[in-house]
Amino acid sequence: MSNFTSAERDESALRNTTEPSSQLRGHLGVGSILFSVVAWAAPLLVVVGLMPSMIAFGGNGIIAALAVATVILLLFSVGYTAVTRYVERPGAFYAYITAGLGRETGLGGAFLAMSGYLVLLLSTWAAFGVYGRALVVDTFHGPDLPWYLYGLLGALLAGVAAYRKIELSAKTLGVALILEVVLVLVFNLRVFFDGGPAGPPLGALTWDGASTGNFGLVLLFAMLCFGGFESSAIYREEAKDPNKTIPRATYIAVILIGLFYLVAAWVMLTALGPQGVADARAGGAVASMFGDLAASYVGSVVPGIINVLVVSSTFACLLAQHNAVARYAYSLGKDGVLPRTLGVAHARHHSPFVASLIVTALEVAAVVAIAAGTAFDPAGTEAFTVYIRLNGLGAIVVVALLVLVSGAVLVYFHQHKVPGRGVWKTTIAPALALGSLAIVLVLSFLNVDSLIGAGPIASLAFTILIPLVWVGGIVYCRWLQKAKPAVYQKIGRQ
């Protein structure tokens, strides 16, 4: 007759199956983590695709919106990076929400993070396929193959890169990022020396300029421009001296992304001139705005270069998202919340290879499903609409996560009196971030149709999935507490 209790047997089984000889390991410094974070933000995609829409909705107000978004995320980063020094566990949002708000809310947050990032990742492969097809057909005048073949090829390439050591992904992301940043900087310098049709848009610095148009909606788009900045903590296990590299990478990412976008927006307003901005707000061509301006100021060859770099930028963004989702799955598998095989690292590459393979399979399945759902339209027009709608939903999920983390940071530092940490880092900045992000979340629901674009009722119905996923994580956590107490104790990478 065994002397072990059920909980002890569960603990022993969990230990034997989730503690393999190899762990996630790497030597990522500030630069490598920074490349991954900024690549996710996809600066060229923002400048080409998002900023023209922001100008159409808000005109000169784009400058104030980007500045406010930068300040909000810097406030969030103060508490976020402070808590990383004391919750020295991998798992990022999963670990931090658990540490501050408990296991139930933490697991609900983990499910929310996984679902939100998966929605962003899986739908964006449709955009990659459409961009890839347009590059081959329109720029290189190659064979007219359907978009989903490019999507499938990209997903498999990302899977290969993510399977191997994290340093390979970091180098790939670094090269792609440098190329797209150089292109935007060349455009910026050319417009700066030219001066534009009416000089700098000084009106953007006035109250009237800042409040032009739908500022709330433009602020939401500004928050989208920083997508992935929070992913620095995901690489904790693979970072050199994570207590230093993660905070530095986070602060540098927010500041650099914010400055880059502010300068790019200022230059774009300068290039357009007051009449060009008015035309954009009146319904002028938005999709081709940056390409037309670049061709006018830099040269007719630039639109072709943009098409190439849009594909590389999208791939870099997707690879960064793939890595993040795989590491969340790894953490949940490590704890036994998801199948424990997900929590196994490769013996040689030290990558979450099982989780990465599963993510790759989901990506391939998503491309096929989107293609089938849009009647295998080779051009991908409807598939691109699916991408836009699901990305809007994913963006709302990320804002909800930021609210949860800000609350968790406040509670954690209230419950754990940490010597040497001032009230600014432990209370004031997190409270300001919580209030600001809560306002942004409310704005997200008020402008949900502009973000998702499926019609007011249908768009709002999409958002019901957010609390359902969160509650599902809470219910599952309560079941684990009764059925698998050893797994329950480990929730949050404890």
Side-chain angles (χ1 to χ4, degrees):
M1 180 176 179
S2 173
N3 294 323
F4 292 98
T5 66
S6 174
E8 288 171 332
R9 284 194 298 272
D10 286 348
E11 175 69 30
S12 176
L14 183 65
R15 188 167 54 245
N16 290 336
T17 56
T18 65
E19 295 182 4
S21 57
S22 59
Q23 306 290 327
L24 292 188
R25 285 209 305 270
H27 302 282
L28 298 178
V30 173
S32 296
I33 295 176
L34 185 62
F35 280 138
S36 295
V37 171
V38 180
W40 187 328
L44 183 61
L45 287 182
V46 168
V47 173
V48 172
L50 202 52
M51 280 191 182
S53 296
M54 294 170 70
I55 292 173
F57 283 117
N60 289 339
I62 185 176
I63 301 297
L66 287 167
V68 170
T70 303
V71 171
I72 291 174
L73 296 180
L74 280 174
L75 288 171
F76 172 85
S77 299
V78 171
Y80 182 56
T81 57
V83 82
T84 62
R85 296 176 181 271
Y86 297 96
V87 183
E88 295 184 333
R89 301 194 295 268
F93 284 0
Y94 170 45
Y96 305 145
I97 297 173
T98 301
L101 301 178
R103 290 181 175 85
E104 291 184 1
T105 307
L107 191 55
F111 277 30
L112 201 57
M114 278 282 294
S115 62
Y117 290 148
L118 271 173
V119 164
L120 291 171
L121 171 66
L122 300 182
S123 63
T124 305
W125 280 114
F128 176 84
V130 172
Y131 291 144
R133 177 185 174 276
L135 174 65
V136 172
V137 175
D138 299 334
T139 303
F140 296 136
H141 306 292
D144 189 358
L145 300 175
W147 71 267
Y148 42 86
L149 294 183
Y150 296 101
L152 291 171
L153 177 62
L156 293 174
L157 289 175
V160 171
Y163 183 91
R164 300 177 65 82
K165 290 182 179 181
I166 186 62
E167 286 82 4
L168 175 62
S169 293
K171 291 174 183 176
T172 304
L173 296 174
V175 172
L177 180 62
I178 290 170
L179 291 174
E180 57 188 281
V181 168
V182 167
L183 173 65
V184 177
L185 290 179
V186 169
F187 172 74
N188 290 350
L189 289 172
R190 186 66 186 85
V191 174
F192 176 79
F193 286 113
D194 181 277
L202 298 179
L205 303 179
T206 66
W207 175 256
D208 289 340
S211 57
T212 301
N214 188 341
F215 181 79
L217 180 58
V218 179
L219 177 60
L220 289 177
F221 283 132
M223 296 292 290
L224 295 182
C225 294
F226 290 80
F229 86 96
E230 77 285 353
S231 63
S232 56
I234 292 172
Y235 300 101
R236 182 177 186 88
E237 289 175 285
E238 296 152 289
K240 293 185 294 188
D241 194 1
N243 285 340
K244 292 182 180 179
T245 54
I246 290 173
R248 289 173 183 171
T250 304
Y251 277 122
I252 294 172
V254 174
I255 293 170
L256 285 183
I257 292 172
L259 289 175
F260 180 85
Y261 289 151
L262 281 167
V263 172
W266 182 271
V267 170
M268 196 174 293
L269 291 174
T270 302
L272 285 168
Q275 186 58 50
V277 172
D279 290 343
R281 296 204 60 211
V286 171
S288 61
M289 180 187 291
F290 182 75
D292 293 343
L293 290 173
S296 174
Y297 281 91
V298 182
S300 59
V301 71
V302 175
I305 298 174
I306 291 173
N307 291 339
V308 174
L309 293 182
V310 160
V311 173
S312 67
S313 178
T314 307
F315 182 80
C317 171
L318 285 163
L319 180 55
Q321 291 178 354
H322 179 114
N323 285 333
V325 172
R327 279 153 183 78
Y328 265 107
Y330 171 85
S331 285
L332 291 169
K334 196 77 172 170
D335 284 351
V337 173
L338 293 181
R340 292 170 182 140
T341 51
L342 292 173
V344 177
H346 195 281
R348 181 158 58 93
H349 299 306
H350 306 291
S351 62
F353 75 107
V354 178
S356 183
L357 288 172
I358 296 297
V359 173
T360 302
L362 289 174
E363 291 168 345
V364 169
V367 171
V368 174
I370 294 173
T374 56
F376 292 97
D377 170 32
T381 304
E382 290 300 318
F384 199 81
T385 301
V386 172
Y387 152 71
I388 292 173
R389 291 176 178 174
L390 292 182
N391 257 247
L393 178 63
I396 297 174
V397 172
V398 172
V399 174
L401 283 168
L402 297 180
V403 171
L404 278 175
V405 174
S406 295
V409 170
L410 272 173
V411 173
Y412 178 84
F413 282 121
H414 176 72
Q415 295 176 342
H416 301 80
K417 303 303 180 184
V418 180
R421 288 287 168 187
V423 67
W424 168 251
K425 291 185 176 181
T426 59
T427 305
I428 297 176
L432 290 172
L434 176 60
S436 302
L437 289 165
I439 292 173
V440 173
L441 185 60
V442 171
L443 287 172
S444 299
F445 286 104
L446 292 177
N447 293 276
V448 65
D449 188 37
S450 296
L451 285 174
I452 297 177
I457 296 176
S459 296
L460 191 60
F462 267 104
T463 63
I464 295 175
L465 296 172
I466 298 174
L468 287 179
V469 170
W470 184 54
V471 170
I474 293 174
V475 171
Y476 182 50
C477 183
R478 291 180 178 177
W479 179 81
L480 288 174
Q481 185 178 15
K482 295 179 180 179
K484 297 184 178 181
V487 172
Y488 174 81
Q489 291 299 321
K490 285 183 174 289
I491 289 174
R493 296 301 302 270
Q494 300 186 66

